[in-house]
Amino acid sequence: MRLEPASEEAAAEAVRRLAAERTPVRIEGGGTRQAVGRPIQTAATLSTRALAGITLYEPAEMVIAARTGTPLAELERVLAEKGQMLPFEPMDHRPLLDSTGEPTVGGMVAGNHSGPRRIKAGACRDALIGLRFVNGRGELLRAGGRVMKNVTGLDLVKLLCGSWGTLALLTEATFKVLPKPEAELTLLFEGLAEPEAVALLCAAMGTPFEPSGAAHLPVGIGAARARTLLRLEGFADSIRYRADRLAAHLREHGPAQRTEGAESAALWRSVRDVLPLVEPGERAVWRLSLPPKRGAEAVAAIRTARACEVLYDWSGGLVWLATAEDEDAGRAAIRAVCERLGGHATLVRGSIDLRARIEPFHPTAERVRRLETGIEDAFDPFGLFNPGLLRAGR
Amino acid sequence: MSGIALPAPDPRILARKAAIVAELRRLVADPAAVIDDPVELAPYETDAFTAYRRLPLAVVLPSTTAEVSAVLAFCAREGVPVVPRGAGTSLSGGAIPQEDAVVVGVARMNRVLAIDPADRTARVEAGITNLAITEAVAEHGFFYAPDPSSQLACTLAGNIAMNSGGAHCLKYGVTTNNLLGVTLVLVDGSVVELGGAALDSPGYDLLGLVCGSEGQLGIVTEAVVRILPEPEGARPVLLAFPSSEAAGACVADIIGAGIVPVAIEFMDNPAIRICEAFAKAGYPTEAAAMLIVEVEGSDAEIDAELARIVAIARRHGVTTIKESRSATETAQIWKGRKSAFGATGRIADYICMDGTIPTSRLPEVLRRMDEIVRDYGLRVANVFHAGDGNLHPLILYDVNDPDQAARAEACGADILKLCVEVGGCLTGEHGVGIEKRDLMRHQFTEAELLQQMAVRRVFDPAARLNPAKVFPLDLGIAA
Ligand SMILES: Cc1cc2nc3c(=O)[nH]c(=O)nc-3n(C[C@H](O)[C@H](O)[C@H](O)COP(=O)(O)OP(=O)(O)OC[C@H]3O[C@@H](n4cnc5c(N)ncnc54)[C@H](O)[C@@H]3O)c2cc1C
């Protein structure tokens, strides 16, 4: 059964029917991230495709709202017309997952997808100020609102952002946005070993020059030589000044080349979408979240157990790791290292068998999981939404 | 004032006071950490929402997470309500106790545990004051960004519970955007770690849920916060306007021009006069409205950005432009604004409202607010964070005149309803507490409130943590 409600009321009505029949449902946006998480099978699929359109845009207030089925590209185009953007630079998973379709606003919120600028401007969850959603009882509800500051009641917006469609059907999302920077410039250091590169990135993030991207591509990842990247964004005169200061501050790591405009943008797009790790396509790809300064240390420890290729973003706090898809694709080794260093690991790309065999999402502590189960019951008492996507038995 | 209903204490708990106090003393290392003498309990009877006050059963000031855990486990077994407390500066009555409750104050837990410039984090005990975090990391060239005006006194624990903001949040965000992890003691005494030094954590965003939960999901004992490198420099400009509309339009154009200052603060004429009389900050007392706009960066960057801002202000008929040229002048300009509440307190009693509105509705809201206040025969002074629409109308009244007090409370409620009506919310940073509890139905439907309460019940099925706050009492605790 395929449902395609064209209004929030119709969506709520559809969920009420599913609830009455206890029919689990897969929620589908653009379908570009279907291959993330545990494989699930449901009798029904609900597409947000027809729940589309910008519902509010106030450029002078830096606020935009859209129905969740709105293509992300449309939201970004409308913002660009007024010289604005989403602050968090959401990743496009299509190259990595070899998927087609159009990423939607809802899919982005459901996964809290955030790119390189997250290191400076915060994640999707930080820019998301309001949601409308349908809970598992088929009630159409609101959380947050359209104003920048709002502490009225429990912040359910945070809970729903990153819940991968397991708590509720999101129908509309409201964001605070930022002016698009006038210019960008990337400082590029070549030939650094991974520990030194991460140290450089962390040192740069500790300066007042506000890098809006801090990434490292090791030897052979997209180019023969290792590249360490720092992005500056803002008014042209200001970024040139900051680039000079930053390069001087970091000169012990060698001279910095400069890349501007489209060339710089292309570099960051390839970091954002993990392009250098896409091929060969049969490898598993993990996303490691770590205290930034531990990035290279984690990778070194994992390499003692297995071969892998990596790409660092967020000053070392985000490591993309591609490795052979044998037995557990390194799950035990990777998760043990991450836990020891205060992080966690998510399998973002893997075959359907692998994703059924191991938990793609990092398990939470037992007491925390009990809270999470309670929260699932509080939103979705009949277990309708994307059952089993995050973990078995739900 | 007496408009807000508070539940009657449970006589069975009151009757067991001596035994409860004795057991609490056994659970903490320092016997002086348990207070039960009525005179010593007095400082805990209210917070900065002083119109309401009640003595708690007892106060415990634990020194460790383990002590907090033991106290909560004991109170859970005994069915005793618990009211978490930081410094007691809440403006919404969030920390006001009830007679049958044990107040658990974290003020003694105020150590800095680790500072990590490479990860840009600090791990601290939650009872540390907001300003002490910045003081601790300053030697590394860092600061902690959220800066409530109460930062000298208020604790990080209170900031987390209220998701507090401050003048500089336009650029840096509020508490939730600067919080990476907490140690949370649940109502049954179990201890969970949410988040940490990594940028995100597995599972649902429970950290985001706990921030702003007003002490109803657990007691925060430690936290990891984001620290940021000090900017090279920062300088405000003071801009005065012949009308509030002009000032409001100027704010919209600054943002529309792609400039995001660190702060844009707005004061109307009554606020300007009150603050000037107190702080001698050199404010233009004839102006209808005034903005303080602060930008950061190198001297050249600041000059360039201020020039852009001043050019915009000229298009809106700015009458006074005062750029700070020294640290002293900067401090002077800010001193007036930061002492707004204190200065107002010297001339009258006031209640401080905290609604947020869409900034485009500012001129209309200011006008209608003025009408509302006049209808109640009262006066209002406005100071607020203009960049994000978070209003702080200070309604002036005489606390010794019960009639005026009742009018002030009703007037405040009408103003908040206006904020909601134009698309805003009841509270931008001070929290619901008891103050706005009974207004929640104006912002949320019953189903929405029940959804929030269902989530709360996961953490605290019997609603013993900070009871009778945030959610209207007639909704019960069930959903
Ligand atoms: C003059 C003045 C100016 C102010 N300016 C601002 C401002 O600019 N911005 C702003 O946002 N606020 C402001 N406030 C409000 C107030 O300072 C904040 O709400 C602050 O965060 C409260 O901190 P506290 O330590 O005093 O907490 P308390 O008042 O003691 O408690 C506040 C809430 O936190 C809960 N709580 C306390 N400790 C814990 C814990 N360990 N775990 C769980 N819950 C806990 C309490 O139960 C209560 O609900 C101002 C207040 C005053 C008096």
Side-chain angles (χ1 to χ4, degrees), chain A residues 61 149 238 241 289 293, chain B residues 116 200 204 232 301 360 429:
Chain A
E61 286 178 26
K149 274 171 84 183
S238 156
Y241 163 79
S289 181
K293 72 169 185 219
Chain B
D116 194 327
D200 46 28
Y204 299 126
E232 284 185 276
E301 286 175 299
S360 60
E429 58 181 20

Side-chain angles (χ1 to χ4, degrees), chain B residues 47-48 83-91 94-95 106 147-150 154-155 157-159 161-162 164-166 214-215 218-220 341 385 429-430 466:
Chain B
D47 51 26
V83 176
R85 187 176 179 101
T89 67
S90 169
L91 288 165
V106 293
D147 60 338
S149 308
S150 51
C154 68
T155 64
N159 295 173
M162 293 310 194
S164 302
E214 304 205 14
I219 294 195
V220 176
F341 294 179
H385 315 302
E429 58 181 20
H430 295 167
N466 223 4

Side-chain angles (χ1 to χ4, degrees), chain A residues 6-363:
Chain A
S7 70
E8 291 182 315
E9 291 67 31
E13 176 55 35
V15 173
R16 280 196 292 276
R17 269 202 313 275
L18 294 167
E21 299 155 3
R22 304 287 192 271
T23 306
V25 61
R26 166 202 280 284
I27 301 175
E28 187 184 284
T32 67
R33 301 177 179 105
Q34 292 243 5
V36 181
R38 296 183 69 253
I40 59 171
Q41 278 186 330
T42 53
T45 296
L46 190 153
S47 165
T48 58
R49 189 178 314 252
L51 282 170
I54 311 282
T55 47
L56 167 95
Y57 184 27
E58 290 279 355
E61 286 178 26
M62 300 195 288
V63 177
I64 195 164
R67 296 272 194 254
T68 48
T70 311
L72 180 57
E74 184 186 335
L75 187 81
E76 296 193 309
R77 182 182 53 73
V78 168
L79 285 169
E81 276 170 16
K82 299 284 182 201
Q84 298 186 331
M85 63 175 188
L86 292 172
F88 49 92
E89 205 177 2
M91 169 181 180
D92 182 348
H93 283 71
R94 282 175 294 185
L96 185 63
L97 301 177
D98 192 23
S99 56
T100 53
E102 276 296 320
T104 60
V105 168
M108 170 181 78
V109 170
N112 186 25
H113 296 300
S114 315
R117 201 182 293 107
R118 192 254 161 96
I119 189 86
K120 170 172 179 244
C124 177
R125 56 91 89 177
D126 294 293
L128 186 70
I129 55 177
L131 280 175
R132 292 166 65 89
F133 62 97
V134 177
N135 69 9
R137 291 195 170 87
E139 296 170 319
L140 178 61
L141 307 175
R142 300 160 305 160
R146 58 160 293 194
V147 287
M148 303 262 176
K149 274 171 84 183
N150 184 350
V151 298
T152 324
L154 277 180
D155 192 352
L156 301 186
V157 172
K158 296 285 185 306
L159 206 47
L160 292 167
C161 183
S163 65
W164 289 89
T166 61
L167 297 179
L169 166 67
L170 309 179
T171 57
E172 185 187 287
T174 308
F175 304 90
K176 58 180 175 185
V177 299
L178 279 182
K180 240 186 194 332
E182 181 182 284
E184 72 172 86
L185 181 160
T186 298
L187 287 179
L188 191 157
F189 299 79
E190 278 194 326
L192 300 185
E194 291 166 46
E196 186 185 354
V198 167
L200 176 153
L201 297 175
C202 289
M205 292 311 299
T207 68
F209 309 117
E210 302 197 328
S212 68
H216 177 69
L217 302 135
V219 177
I221 304 302
R225 302 196 69 193
R227 291 170 296 167
T228 310
L229 312 176
L230 288 168
R231 179 177 60 186
L232 299 168
E233 294 178 304
F235 293 110
D237 40 359
S238 156
I239 60 174
R240 235 163 278 133
Y241 163 79
R242 286 186 278 143
D244 291 346
R245 294 292 310 272
L246 202 50
H249 184 76
L250 300 168
R251 69 179 155 258
E252 61 175 293
H253 299 284
Q257 300 165 36
R258 295 178 189 210
T259 316
E260 295 187 42
E263 208 180 322
S264 166
L267 265 178
W268 288 99
R269 176 169 296 259
S270 95
V271 170
R272 186 194 76 179
D273 296 344
V274 209
L275 299 183
L277 298 186
V278 167
E279 299 295 343
E282 63 277 4
R283 290 182 306 181
V285 175
W286 291 87
R287 178 188 181 281
L288 280 52
S289 181
L290 294 153
K293 72 169 185 219
R294 303 288 189 193
E297 183 182 347
V299 170
I302 291 165
R303 283 210 181 104
T304 63
R306 61 189 294 119
C308 57
E309 283 190 342
V310 301
L311 180 161
Y312 299 85
D313 196 358
W314 298 352
S315 184
L318 174 63
V319 178
W320 290 97
L321 185 149
T323 189
E325 196 182 301
D326 50 16
E327 314 110 55
D328 71 345
R331 182 204 57 175
I334 292 168
R335 291 221 162 118
V337 168
C338 287
E339 281 174 16
R340 177 166 60 81
L341 296 177
H344 71 279
T346 313
L347 177 77
V348 174
R349 185 175 80 181
S351 68
I352 214 167
D353 286 350
L354 179 64
R355 287 182 286 120
R357 221 164 47 233
I358 66 171
E359 318 86 353
F361 289 97
H362 200 110

Side-chain angles (χ1 to χ4, degrees), chain B residues 129-132 135 148-154:
Chain B
T129 63
N130 174 293
L131 192 59
E135 286 170 354
S149 308
S150 51
Q151 65 186 154
L152 193 62
C154 68

Side-chain angles (χ1 to χ4, degrees), chain B residues 66-387:
Chain B
E67 287 186 355
V68 173
S69 162
V71 168
L72 287 200
F74 166 68
C75 288
R77 278 197 308 276
E78 296 290 314
V80 176
V82 169
V83 176
R85 187 176 179 101
T89 67
S90 169
L91 288 165
S92 59
I96 293 180
Q98 52 189 47
E99 292 95 332
D100 57 1
V102 169
V103 169
V104 177
V106 293
R108 284 189 179 188
M109 299 181 65
N110 60 2
R111 289 178 305 159
V112 175
L113 302 173
I115 297 169
D116 194 327
D119 280 343
R120 298 185 300 144
T121 59
R123 183 169 191 101
V124 296
E125 290 182 331
I128 189 169
T129 63
N130 174 293
L131 192 59
I133 303 174
T134 288
E135 286 170 354
V137 300
E139 60 171 307
H140 302 275
F142 283 78
F143 71 108
Y144 175 62
D147 60 338
S149 308
S150 51
Q151 65 186 154
L152 193 62
C154 68
T155 64
L156 180 63
N159 295 173
I160 293 170
M162 293 310 194
N163 189 13
S164 302
H168 291 77
C169 288
L170 187 57
K171 176 170 177 189
Y172 294 114
V174 294
T175 303
T176 193
N177 312 113
N178 292 275
L179 182 68
L180 290 167
V182 294
T183 302
L184 183 75
V185 184
L186 299 174
V187 73
D188 62 2
S190 53
V191 179
V192 294
E193 296 287 336
L194 305 176
L199 275 76
D200 46 28
S201 47
Y204 299 126
D205 188 357
L206 299 186
L207 181 68
L209 177 70
V210 164
C211 190
S213 63
E214 304 205 14
Q216 295 191 318
L217 301 188
I219 294 195
V220 176
T221 56
E222 287 181 20
V224 181
V225 295
R226 161 74 64 234
I227 54 173
L228 294 172
E230 282 282 2
E232 284 185 276
R235 243 187 289 145
V237 59
L238 184 162
L239 305 166
F241 295 87
S243 71
S244 293
E245 283 82 355
C250 181
V251 171
D253 277 4
I254 291 173
I255 289 167
I259 304 168
V260 182
V262 225
I264 308 182
E265 296 290 298
F266 179 110
M267 298 169 79
D268 69 1
N269 181 271
I272 296 170
R273 285 170 182 272
I274 290 168
C275 293
E276 178 59 19
F278 177 76
K280 305 277 180 290
Y283 290 174
T285 49
E286 299 310 312
M290 182 186 110
L291 300 175
I292 301 174
V293 186
E294 181 158 288
V295 299
E296 289 179 348
S298 67
D299 268 342
E301 286 175 299
I302 292 175
D303 286 343
E305 199 140 304
L306 287 183
R308 284 190 183 94
I309 290 166
V310 166
I312 293 168
R314 286 197 203 284
R315 293 208 296 274
H316 294 281
V318 65
T319 51
T320 306
I321 301 166
K322 214 166 133 178
E323 272 187 50
S324 158
R325 279 170 316 249
S326 67
T328 322
E329 284 184 18
T330 296
Q332 189 112 40
I333 289 177
W334 274 113
K335 184 174 172 225
R337 165 61 186 92
K338 291 229 169 185
S339 57
F341 294 179
T344 307
R346 290 200 326 162
I347 63 157
D349 302 300
Y350 68 88
I351 43 177
C352 173
M353 310 314 292
D354 175 46
T356 306
I357 58 160
T359 46
S360 60
R361 307 293 291 269
L362 188 62
E364 173 197 347
V365 169
L366 288 176
R367 184 172 40 75
R368 287 177 62 188
M369 201 153 69
D370 210 49
E371 287 164 15
I372 293 172
V373 175
R374 254 186 290 127
D375 282 352
Y376 279 101
L378 297 166
R379 286 184 303 146
V380 66
N382 276 296
V383 286
F384 60 87
H385 315 302

